[in-house]
Amino acid sequence: MTDTGVSDPLDLQEEGGALTLRLSGRWTLDTVLRLDGELRSLARRPVERLVVEAAGLTGLDSAGAWAIRRTLDQAKARGADTELRGLPDSYRPILEKSVVPDPTAPVAPTSGGGLFAPLEGAGRAVLHAATVARNLAGFFGYTLVALAGVLVRPWRLRLTATVAQMEATGLNALPIVGLLCFLIGIVLAYMGALQLKQFGASVLTVNLVGVSVLREIGILLTAIIVAGRSGSAFAAQIGTMKVNQEVDALETMGLSAVEVLVLPRLIALVIVMPLLTVWADLAGLLGGSVVALFLLDMTFSQFLIQLDAAVRFWDFGTGMLKAPVFALVIALVGCYDGLRVSGSAESVGRYTTRAVVESIFLVIVLDALFAVAFAEIGI
């Protein structure tokens, strides 16, 4: 057996074709910077077997985990048998998340253009959407398990964080939601009045505004605003924590990132979304009433009487049924994309944009499915 006497955090022993690396102390960025050249040199040595003994580690960050995984992967790529021994369980989440890009991995072929390029692009978009849907379903299941754990042990719920998220996603969103829905109510009533006036049915403008706002406009506009405002915030906040390794630190301490970061945002948004929808409905109807007052010469009492005759309970109830579902989708997509961030601020921006686009797309798809389902059951 040959002892090469390598520096303290890295002890190297070689016997026959087997190489054993004994790691000790804190493997953090400073250690990796000091030993990086030596590790790269070791990775190029022709050995049949590489064993990494990690029982002596007293500290590990993402840089250290990345260096260990890179050494093992490079030895394995040369055909050597590799083994990692004795790594404390508290460090395994960091190591599992330290993925080293494979420079030899095949690159997806680029489109060759031509007549079939749009069809190829559509196919890729469909495959991407299917992949996102599958991953979201898995994340949803994982979140349900965490939620069940919190329901069994309610003291684990981060109540302060949940209330803070309710303020950020609900209370602080009231002005923008109210203003936009008020303006949309004005536009809808104005356009409807101009068209219905040609048939002598101006009074039906109230019916148009009431049914449209309560069934579709209120909830859909609220969901889009929340997706752009809160969904992007979820992705950016969690993504920034990923870049700063705060999520890794949580998991190293034995805390669940889903329980600490996802559940407070999910629960808060599910609670405030129906309330925001009620606020949006009131603002939209108020906008419609303003047009009725000045364009149709109706009094506010006449507007309310006509509105009461025009709408049914389920015109309002359908929006309330959709609200928590949309909130669930927006929160899941925002948190899921935030947890996918890795490496840089550019990644944070990319996944934040993706969270908004995916949330709005899924909300519109679900709204169409709800419309068909409600029509089939007659509400």
Side-chain angles (χ1 to χ4, degrees), residues 116-170:
F116 294 103
L119 188 60
E120 182 182 347
R124 290 183 185 278
V126 171
L127 287 177
H128 174 71
T131 303
V132 170
R134 183 197 62 188
N135 294 339
L136 273 177
F139 184 67
F140 178 54
Y142 188 58
T143 305
L144 281 182
V145 172
L147 182 61
V150 169
L151 292 176
V152 174
R153 295 169 291 181
W155 59 88
R156 293 180 66 89
L157 175 65
R158 268 61 181 177
L159 188 59
T160 303
T162 304
V163 173
Q165 290 297 330
M166 290 174 65
E167 178 184 4
T169 60

Side-chain angles (χ1 to χ4, degrees), residues 63-75:
W66 182 83
I68 294 171
R69 181 178 284 273
R70 183 194 63 185
T71 304
L72 289 168
D73 288 349
Q74 289 180 343

Side-chain angles (χ1 to χ4, degrees), residues 342-356:
S342 61
S344 65
E346 187 270 340
S347 179
V348 176
R350 184 171 65 250
Y351 279 105
T352 299
T353 304
R354 183 173 295 182
V356 175

Side-chain angles (χ1 to χ4, degrees), residues 57-144:
L57 287 179
T58 58
L60 183 69
D61 67 0
S62 297
W66 182 83
I68 294 171
R69 181 178 284 273
R70 183 194 63 185
T71 304
L72 289 168
D73 288 349
Q74 289 180 343
K76 189 174 183 179
R78 291 195 316 273
D81 293 331
T82 60
E83 183 180 2
L84 177 64
R85 294 177 182 169
L87 182 68
D89 291 340
S90 57
Y91 297 147
R92 290 196 177 277
I94 298 180
L95 189 72
E96 290 170 357
K97 292 180 179 298
S98 59
V99 178
V100 181
D102 181 7
T104 64
V107 178
T110 57
S111 174
L115 295 176
F116 294 103
L119 188 60
E120 182 182 347
R124 290 183 185 278
V126 171
L127 287 177
H128 174 71
T131 303
V132 170
R134 183 197 62 188
N135 294 339
L136 273 177
F139 184 67
F140 178 54
Y142 188 58
T143 305
L144 281 182

Side-chain angles (χ1 to χ4, degrees), residues 184-194 205 208-209 287-289 291-292 295:
I184 291 296
I186 289 178
V187 172
L188 188 64
Y190 187 76
M191 298 304 295
L194 290 180
T205 301
L208 173 68
V209 173
S289 69
V291 173
L295 192 64

Side-chain angles (χ1 to χ4, degrees), residues 49-294:
R49 179 175 174 77
L50 174 65
V51 178
V52 176
E53 291 275 358
L57 287 179
T58 58
L60 183 69
D61 67 0
S62 297
W66 182 83
I68 294 171
R69 181 178 284 273
R70 183 194 63 185
T71 304
L72 289 168
D73 288 349
Q74 289 180 343
K76 189 174 183 179
R78 291 195 316 273
D81 293 331
T82 60
E83 183 180 2
L84 177 64
R85 294 177 182 169
L87 182 68
D89 291 340
S90 57
Y91 297 147
R92 290 196 177 277
I94 298 180
L95 189 72
E96 290 170 357
K97 292 180 179 298
S98 59
V99 178
V100 181
D102 181 7
T104 64
V107 178
T110 57
S111 174
L115 295 176
F116 294 103
L119 188 60
E120 182 182 347
R124 290 183 185 278
V126 171
L127 287 177
H128 174 71
T131 303
V132 170
R134 183 197 62 188
N135 294 339
L136 273 177
F139 184 67
F140 178 54
Y142 188 58
T143 305
L144 281 182
V145 172
L147 182 61
V150 169
L151 292 176
V152 174
R153 295 169 291 181
W155 59 88
R156 293 180 66 89
L157 175 65
R158 268 61 181 177
L159 188 59
T160 303
T162 304
V163 173
Q165 290 297 330
M166 290 174 65
E167 178 184 4
T169 60
L171 187 62
N172 295 345
L174 287 177
I176 185 65
V177 171
L179 177 61
L180 289 182
C181 288
F182 176 78
L183 294 176
I184 291 296
I186 289 178
V187 172
L188 188 64
Y190 187 76
M191 298 304 295
L194 290 180
Q195 297 300 317
L196 292 172
K197 192 175 182 180
Q198 303 177 36
F199 307 99
S202 299
V203 70
L204 295 181
T205 301
V206 181
N207 301 46
L208 173 68
V209 173
V211 174
S212 300
V213 168
L214 294 180
R215 287 192 78 94
E216 291 294 339
I217 300 297
I219 176 59
L220 196 56
L221 198 58
T222 302
I224 291 174
I225 294 172
V226 169
R229 186 177 179 280
S230 301
S232 61
F234 292 170
Q237 291 164 356
I238 297 176
T240 304
M241 293 180 70
K242 281 275 291 182
V243 171
N244 294 332
Q245 301 180 358
E246 295 173 54
V247 176
D248 293 339
L250 284 174
E251 294 181 344
T252 301
M253 290 187 291
L255 299 174
S256 167
V258 171
E259 191 173 306
V260 175
L261 301 176
V262 178
L263 286 187
R265 289 170 170 80
L266 178 67
I267 294 172
L269 201 56
V270 169
I271 292 175
V272 302
M273 190 77 166
L275 302 177
L276 280 176
T277 303
V278 173
W279 173 251
D281 290 345
L282 292 174
L285 294 176
L286 183 62
S289 69
V290 170
V291 173
L293 291 176
F294 292 99

